[in-house]
Amino acid sequence: MAPIAIEPIDPAIKDVVVPKKDSLGLPPNTRARFEKAGIDLSGGYPYRPARPLYLDDVYNIRDKDRPHVDPGSRADPEKKALFGAAKEVINLTSHIGTEIVGLQLKDLTDQQKDELGLLIAERSVVFFRDQDLSPQQQKALGEHYGEVEVHVSIPNIQKCRNAHFVAKPQAPQVPGVPGVSVIWPALQATERAAHFRKPGGASRWHSDLVHERQPAGVTHLHNDTIPTIGGDTLWASGYAAYEKLSPEFRKIIDGRTAIYRSAHPYLDRNNPEAGPKYVEREHPLVRVHPATGWKALWVNRAMTDRIVGLDKAESDVILGYLYDVFEKSVDIQVRFKWTPRTSALWDNRITIHNASWDYEGNEPRHGTRVTSLAEKPYFDANAPTRRQALGLVSPGEL
């Protein structure tokens, strides 16, 4: 494979980390998919641009409120267009996870996309197997659900205020298709060694991009290559996790906020010797989905740092309990076994997820991911739970 081409950096821009050159070979299924899609691999794979070094540069990315209308809010509640075209609709568990059989995502009409958005909002994660899907088509679908997130690099905003420059992706990307990120555990292992006791990839419960001013809504992962054994992904329902809490305990966390931090740290420009720091945003512990109007618990062990207004010991106790409710309640989780050319679309506003690394890197696993950003998280005290809205609450729950 040809070496990765490194873009020349403007001499005025010094505060970047120059990416390493990658030399891993593409899995055959991935290469065939990309070649069919006309992806230019002549410059190497993936595209790895320079990334920001300083914290303030990252804060300045998408640091203004943006309008967002959730497509699910305008959908037919009965989803006639989507369900009528499918061969089969299979609910994988009572609370979370649905598989749609017989539809190609690239062929959905706008009406079907809206109804799919509502289905994702209700069922948390929806699966489609045997998809003939290019990275370009995956991005186009993501754009229907919101602004497609691009890990952009805008180095040293102050130095470049009068300079001409273009924001470019920070995370590994499919060449020529910004916003289509590469999910490739073998590549991640070159940056952080993985082993049985400390698994690689995304093997921890988390939700995507919680540090954003307007965090992730729908994420679409298409796995073109999967190991023959293992490599499952698990999701847990934020609706059901909230419903597991007693009504009195809900009063403790309703309306409270927490600090959510980025997955990656950066340096403080004014005090770089202080070491790496994370991007932090304040969001509600319990949020409401705009399409369903239902309350959902919104915490995750990897990136929720502390509850605002509480001492650390108090915050740790409450958060630890909330994490356990999410992670230990197997009845509110779905574990999905991938097959090649399968897509999963989930809503980060109402779920956490975890990728199993039980194949230990012995076989390739490769996919492409598109994440659509959503609204600024909000809480509504008058919003119902999912079970309340659907009339499922039994006397023993009250």
Side-chain angles (χ1 to χ4, degrees):
M1 177 177 289
I4 296 293
I6 302 298
E7 292 186 0
I9 297 176
D10 188 320
I13 302 174
K14 298 183 174 66
D15 303 328
V16 299
V17 178
V18 178
K20 299 181 297 183
K21 295 181 180 180
D22 299 309
S23 58
L24 297 172
L26 273 178
N29 286 359
T30 306
R31 180 173 291 277
R33 177 187 174 214
F34 285 175
E35 289 177 347
K36 180 178 180 180
I39 301 298
D40 183 5
L41 300 173
S42 63
Y45 179 83
Y47 172 56
R48 295 288 297 270
R51 63 179 178 83
L53 181 62
Y54 289 110
L55 193 66
D56 59 335
D57 291 336
V58 183
Y59 271 115
N60 279 308
I61 299 170
R62 292 184 293 272
D63 200 32
K64 295 181 180 179
D65 289 344
R66 304 180 312 280
H68 176 78
V69 177
D70 195 276
S73 65
R74 57 178 180 246
D76 170 14
E78 297 183 12
K79 310 172 193 66
K80 297 186 187 73
L82 182 69
F83 289 170
K87 291 182 179 178
E88 194 174 4
V89 179
I90 306 168
N91 287 337
L92 303 182
T93 77
S94 296
H95 305 293
I96 180 172
T98 296
E99 183 173 343
I100 301 290
V101 180
L103 289 179
Q104 289 291 319
L105 287 165
K106 66 180 182 181
D107 297 331
L108 296 182
T109 66
D110 284 350
Q111 182 180 356
Q112 289 172 326
K113 292 174 186 176
D114 287 352
E115 292 175 6
L116 174 58
L118 179 57
L119 180 64
I120 297 168
E122 293 172 345
R123 297 291 300 167
S124 299
V125 56
V126 180
F127 305 98
F128 295 79
R129 298 188 190 270
D130 300 317
Q131 295 296 298
D132 180 12
L133 187 71
S134 71
Q136 298 93 325
Q137 291 164 335
Q138 186 179 3
K139 180 178 179 179
L141 179 60
E143 289 171 339
H144 187 83
Y145 296 111
E147 177 184 337
V148 168
E149 185 269 343
V150 178
H151 285 287
V152 294
S153 168
I154 308 181
N156 204 340
I157 299 292
Q158 296 301 319
K159 287 185 180 180
C160 302
R161 190 171 298 280
N162 298 317
H164 175 72
F165 65 94
V166 179
K168 298 188 180 298
Q170 173 185 340
Q173 304 271 311
V174 173
V177 196
V180 183
S181 301
V182 172
I183 305 300
W184 194 8
L187 178 65
Q188 293 170 301
T190 66
E191 301 174 347
R192 188 184 70 178
H195 53 76
F196 178 73
R197 290 179 53 234
K198 293 185 178 180
S203 295
R204 55 179 182 165
W205 287 104
H206 68 285
S207 185
D208 297 334
L209 303 172
V210 296
H211 69 283
E212 289 272 351
R213 186 184 185 95
Q214 293 180 218
V218 173
T219 287
H220 175 187
L221 174 60
H222 179 83
N223 272 334
D224 46 53
T225 302
I226 54 95
T228 54
I229 298 176
D232 299 353
T233 304
L234 297 87
W235 286 264
S237 166
Y239 294 142
Y242 182 73
E243 292 160 346
K244 287 283 186 179
L245 306 175
S246 69
E248 288 301 312
F249 192 86
R250 293 173 198 167
K251 294 177 184 178
I252 297 174
I253 62 173
D254 280 357
R256 283 201 169 274
T257 60
I259 300 301
Y260 298 77
R261 71 180 199 178
S262 58
H264 305 291
Y266 304 88
L267 294 179
D268 183 339
R269 188 187 304 277
N270 297 319
N271 188 16
E273 293 183 357
K277 297 183 178 181
Y278 293 88
V279 178
E280 294 187 341
R281 302 282 185 186
E282 185 174 342
H283 295 307
L285 285 167
V286 179
R287 65 186 297 181
V288 174
H289 195 291
T292 62
W294 304 337
K295 291 177 181 174
L297 181 63
W298 197 59
V299 298
N300 72 88
R301 192 181 297 273
M303 298 168 191
T304 308
D305 187 68
R306 61 194 182 276
I307 299 175
V308 174
L310 299 186
D311 291 345
K312 183 178 186 304
E314 298 166 340
S315 174
D316 288 350
V317 168
I318 294 174
L319 286 176
Y321 175 69
L322 296 177
Y323 302 150
D324 283 348
V325 169
F326 248 134
E327 298 171 9
K328 295 181 179 180
S329 299
V330 295
D331 57 328
I332 67 171
Q333 300 173 7
V334 62
R335 179 171 183 141
F336 185 73
K337 182 171 179 55
W338 296 90
T339 50
R341 305 197 316 159
T342 294
S343 284
L345 295 95
W346 68 91
D347 200 314
N348 288 279
R349 294 168 285 189
I350 53 175
T351 60
I352 58 174
H353 59 282
N354 193 339
S356 173
W357 199 68
D358 52 346
Y359 60 100
E360 298 185 42
N362 294 322
E363 294 183 80
R365 185 181 192 270
H366 180 283
T368 52
R369 182 186 67 191
V370 171
T371 297
S372 306
L373 300 172
E375 75 285 347
K376 193 172 183 179
Y378 68 95
F379 173 75
D380 179 358
N382 296 318
T385 68
R386 173 180 174 270
R387 294 176 68 81
Q388 287 170 340
L390 298 179
L392 301 176
V393 179
S394 63
E397 296 178 50
L398 300 177

